[in-house]
Amino acid sequence: MQDESYETARVLWEKYRVLTHELLKFVDDDEIDTFIELVDQRGQIIDLLQELPEDPYRLGAEWEAYDAEIRPLEMQIQYKARAWLNRSRRQNAAVHSYDLTGASPLGGNLNRRY
């Protein structure tokens, strides 16, 4: 017979699993604003899990299958998020490479407000 603490932990871990799948979907679609919101939601689930006095779900038989499903997804999310961040940094650097405010003294004088 599973008690209430087990069921609470199971429900929270299920929400974590659903959010993990959603994170992967949104990072694949480059919807980063939604991705960041979901990361925050998943962080709230982690906080709730840490507030539990114990986590009997992690000691149960279902945990191994759960862990085997979630670990590779988390690795993919980390890899894809880092790839997006690097791509974004490169694009930002490319945009700033065309910034000529310091290159021409004449342009600096014309752009200055008096």
Side-chain angles (χ1 to χ4, degrees):
M1 177 85 186
Q2 297 170 352
D3 61 351
E4 186 177 323
S5 64
Y6 179 87
E7 187 60 25
T8 301
R10 189 191 67 73
V11 167
L12 288 173
W13 281 112
E14 179 60 24
K15 289 179 181 179
Y16 183 90
R17 185 183 73 77
V18 169
L19 286 172
T20 300
H21 282 280
E22 292 297 309
L23 282 171
L24 190 58
K25 183 174 25 173
F26 285 108
V27 78
D28 282 341
D29 293 340
D30 280 339
E31 295 184 31
I32 300 305
D33 292 335
T34 306
F35 176 82
I36 291 171
E37 288 176 23
L38 291 176
V39 168
D40 290 341
Q41 289 178 20
R42 200 170 78 151
Q44 292 171 0
I45 298 293
I46 291 170
D47 292 342
L48 291 173
L49 284 165
Q50 289 175 344
E51 289 174 6
L52 293 174
E54 60 180 326
D55 189 352
Y57 184 73
R58 291 184 75 160
L59 304 174
E62 295 176 46
W63 179 255
E64 285 187 38
Y66 179 90
D67 191 43
E69 175 188 353
I70 292 298
R71 271 191 203 273
L73 295 176
E74 288 185 344
M75 296 295 284
Q76 286 180 29
I77 290 168
Q78 287 178 4
Y79 174 78
K80 290 179 180 187
R82 284 187 182 133
W84 175 84
L85 183 61
N86 289 336
R87 196 169 50 248
S88 176
R89 285 179 179 161
R90 278 193 312 272
Q91 289 172 348
N92 195 22
V95 167
H96 287 295
S97 69
Y98 290 102
D99 188 10
L100 299 175
T101 55
S104 170
L106 179 60
N109 288 333
L110 292 175
N111 291 332
R112 192 175 304 161
R113 288 187 178 169
Y114 292 99

